[in-house]
């Protein structure tokens, strides 16, 4: 009786385990079928790609691509040479006085300068302008930092450059 009850409980546990295993097996079988179908699709896709590559004649494709690139590059170079003349024409109508490096230099000499020299002078001019503006900003910040009220404020109480910290000012001043 007690032994029979224990055996019946054990049999129910084994039956429950068997049901759980059947459920896991069904899930695993479903997963296996899905993965197998996905693998079959990938194999078919790879085979189709391989067939397309074989049929595309790689050497002919490579030669055609090289011709297209050569044509594109030669057209681009031709356009670039025309752009140089357009740039000279455009620059010929501009005032170069701001790009003169010394007072003895004349605008005609500057007009004959190479494009690289003009670009360097243009960059130097704008860098100089940025330095002037930066120095003005630093002077204003320093002046306001030395105010009695302890902070850089306008007359209306708004903080000047509220996003600029003292560390940023020092780093910018070093640059």
């Amino acid at each position: 009786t007690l032994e029979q009850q224990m055996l019946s409980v054990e049999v129910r546990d084994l039956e429950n385990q068997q049901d759980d295993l059947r459920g896991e097996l069904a899930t695993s079988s479903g997963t296996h079928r899905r993965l197998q179908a996905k693998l079959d699709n990938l194999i078919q896709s790879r085979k189709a790609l391989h067939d397309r590559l074989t049929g595309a004649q790689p050497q002919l494709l490579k030669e055609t691509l090289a011709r297209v690139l050569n044509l594109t590059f030669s057209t681009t170079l031709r356009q670039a040479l025309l752009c140089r003349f357009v740039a000279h024409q455009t620059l010929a109508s501009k005032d170069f006085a701001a790009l003169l490096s010394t007072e003895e230099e004349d605008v005609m000499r500057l007009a004959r300068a190479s494009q690289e020299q003009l670009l360097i002078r243009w960059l130097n001019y704008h860098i100089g302008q940025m330095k002037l503006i930066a120095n003005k900003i630093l002077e204003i910040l320093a002046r306001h930092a030395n105010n009695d009220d302890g902070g850089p404020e306008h007359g209306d109480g708004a903080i000047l450059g509220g996003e600029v910290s003292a560390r940023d000012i020092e780093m910018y001043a070093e640059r």
Side-chain angles (χ1 to χ4, degrees), residues 84-97:
R84 185 184 311 162
F85 293 119
V86 170
H88 275 292
Q89 192 71 18
T90 303
L91 289 175
S93 65
K94 300 295 179 192
D95 181 25
F96 291 115

Side-chain angles (χ1 to χ4, degrees), residues 5 10 30 32 34-35 41 49 60-61 69 73-74 76 88 90 93 96 112 119 132 135 148 155-156 164 168-169:
Q5 287 178 349
E10 204 172 308
H32 174 263
R34 278 194 321 261
L35 290 175
N41 285 338
L49 264 171
L60 178 63
L61 183 63
L69 288 174
F73 290 144
S74 66
T76 304
H88 275 292
T90 303
S93 65
F96 291 115
R112 291 186 302 263
L119 180 61
L132 290 174
N135 284 333
D148 295 336
D156 59 356
V164 180
D168 292 335
I169 293 170

Side-chain angles (χ1 to χ4, degrees), residues 88-117:
H88 275 292
Q89 192 71 18
T90 303
L91 289 175
S93 65
K94 300 295 179 192
D95 181 25
F96 291 115
L99 301 180
L100 295 175
S101 60
T102 62
E103 285 134 17
E104 297 90 33
E105 233 177 11
D106 63 342
V107 176
M108 289 309 293
R109 182 168 173 234
L110 189 61
R112 291 186 302 263
S114 71
Q115 295 168 350
E116 290 82 13
Q117 290 172 339

Side-chain angles (χ1 to χ4, degrees), residues 1 31 52 75 89 114 122 151:
T1 58
T31 303
R52 284 177 62 192
T75 304
Q89 192 71 18
S114 71
W122 182 80

Side-chain angles (χ1 to χ4, degrees), residues 44-61:
Q44 287 176 351
S45 297
R46 186 189 179 286
K47 186 179 180 325
L49 264 171
H50 182 266
D51 293 345
R52 284 177 62 192
L53 179 63
T54 304
Q57 301 174 357
Q59 188 61 31
L60 178 63
L61 183 63

